[in-house]
Amino acid sequence: MRKIVFCDFDGTIIYEDALTLLLSKYAKGDWEIYFKLIIEGKMTLEEGIKNQVSLIEYKDQSELNEYLIKNCNLRKGFKEFLNYCKNNNIEFVILSAGLDFYIYLILEKYGIKDIKIISPKTIFNNNKIIVEFPKADRKYKNFKEEIVDKHSNYYTIFIGDGYSDLWPALKSRKILAIKNSLLDKVLKDLKIEAFAIEDFFDVIKILNFSL
């Protein structure tokens, strides 16, 4: 069976949450309320992030880029894990609700390219940001769950850290969660089998042992 890894970006591939960094510095208004509404099920992930991002105000995109490049750091072992996937014929996809512009930007900082990325598209317009999400069937909690579910003919491996990662994780055959993250804690509360990881060297060890 073909194997595929779906991996979150914010808080997973990088240590920081780049979207939270942007909102904390540039949002004008109460952006945190939308996290609460998403978790309470009163708003979809897509709606919540669109509302959050609409609060961001900036003078020039370059200032956003510079801020993120300075403050976002790649989790240990990620480059080695990409090589591991390549050498073992495992497809690798970044599946993220983070904005595509900063995913590409941060990966470029580390000389990483030619990775498949499924994430919201970013449009910069008159000092505001507009976000376009991949289309999702309303029977799913979010677009990430749908993407994973549509690969049910693969051996799916999911790596993540956040609450929105729970739904795609539950559709996966193997789950790896950042240790002590919200995803890790929720999975433990639900008594769902998952591997807690601190970096991508841990991922390599786990997959070597369990695949």
Side-chain angles (χ1 to χ4, degrees):
M1 179 178 284
R2 295 170 65 185
K3 303 177 183 68
I4 187 168
V5 171
F6 290 105
C7 187
D8 176 53
F9 187 78
D10 293 83
T12 304
I13 291 175
I14 58 173
Y15 289 100
E16 302 79 11
D17 188 308
L19 181 55
T20 298
L21 288 176
L22 283 180
L23 292 168
S24 297
K25 187 171 178 64
Y26 294 100
K28 307 297 183 184
D30 185 6
W31 55 270
E32 292 181 287
I33 186 65
Y34 295 109
F35 281 136
K36 182 180 179 182
L37 293 173
I38 292 168
I39 290 175
E40 291 176 348
K42 296 177 181 178
M43 185 173 283
T44 67
L45 171 70
E46 292 85 349
E47 291 168 339
I49 291 178
K50 283 182 179 180
N51 278 286
Q52 287 179 320
V53 172
S54 71
L55 298 174
I56 294 175
E57 296 180 5
Y58 61 94
K59 293 180 180 179
D60 189 273
Q61 184 186 340
S62 63
E63 67 176 304
L64 305 182
N65 293 352
E66 290 171 8
Y67 179 67
L68 292 172
I69 287 173
K70 180 180 178 181
N71 290 285
C72 294
N73 301 280
L74 200 67
R75 191 174 294 275
K76 290 180 180 178
F78 182 65
K79 286 186 175 182
E80 289 82 355
F81 179 60
L82 291 178
N83 288 331
Y84 173 86
C85 289
K86 183 178 180 180
N87 293 335
N88 288 275
N89 296 314
I90 301 172
E91 292 185 45
F92 180 85
V93 179
I94 293 176
L95 181 58
S96 173
L99 309 186
D100 65 342
F101 91 93
Y102 67 64
I103 296 177
Y104 286 108
L105 179 75
I106 296 166
L107 291 177
E108 184 180 354
K109 170 185 173 181
Y110 290 95
I112 299 170
K113 57 183 179 179
D114 300 326
I115 293 178
K116 184 175 181 180
I117 299 172
I118 302 174
S119 69
K121 304 298 180 185
T122 315
I123 300 169
F124 293 91
N125 184 30
N126 294 325
N127 305 114
K128 301 288 284 186
I129 299 176
I130 300 169
V131 179
E132 294 182 352
F133 275 85
K135 291 182 180 180
D137 191 308
R138 287 195 170 272
K139 73 178 182 178
Y140 295 101
K141 281 287 187 177
N142 57 51
F143 77 98
K144 299 170 78 169
E145 180 189 11
E146 180 174 3
I147 294 294
V148 175
D149 191 42
K150 286 185 173 179
H151 287 77
S152 58
N153 58 324
Y154 284 71
Y155 187 95
T156 48
I157 301 156
F158 188 83
I159 309 171
D161 76 304
Y163 183 75
S164 68
D165 293 326
L166 174 62
W167 315 110
L170 294 177
K171 294 291 185 181
S172 303
R173 294 172 183 257
K174 187 178 295 294
I175 308 169
L176 298 94
I178 300 298
K179 188 176 181 180
N180 297 323
S181 66
L182 182 56
L183 178 63
D184 184 32
K185 293 172 183 176
V186 171
L187 290 169
K188 286 177 179 175
D189 289 342
L190 295 174
K191 294 180 170 52
I192 293 171
E193 182 180 1
F195 296 89
I197 59 168
E198 294 186 353
D199 56 40
F200 284 92
F201 290 118
D202 289 342
V203 178
I204 293 171
K205 291 175 185 175
I206 290 165
L207 297 187
N208 266 334
F209 178 77
S210 60
L211 286 184

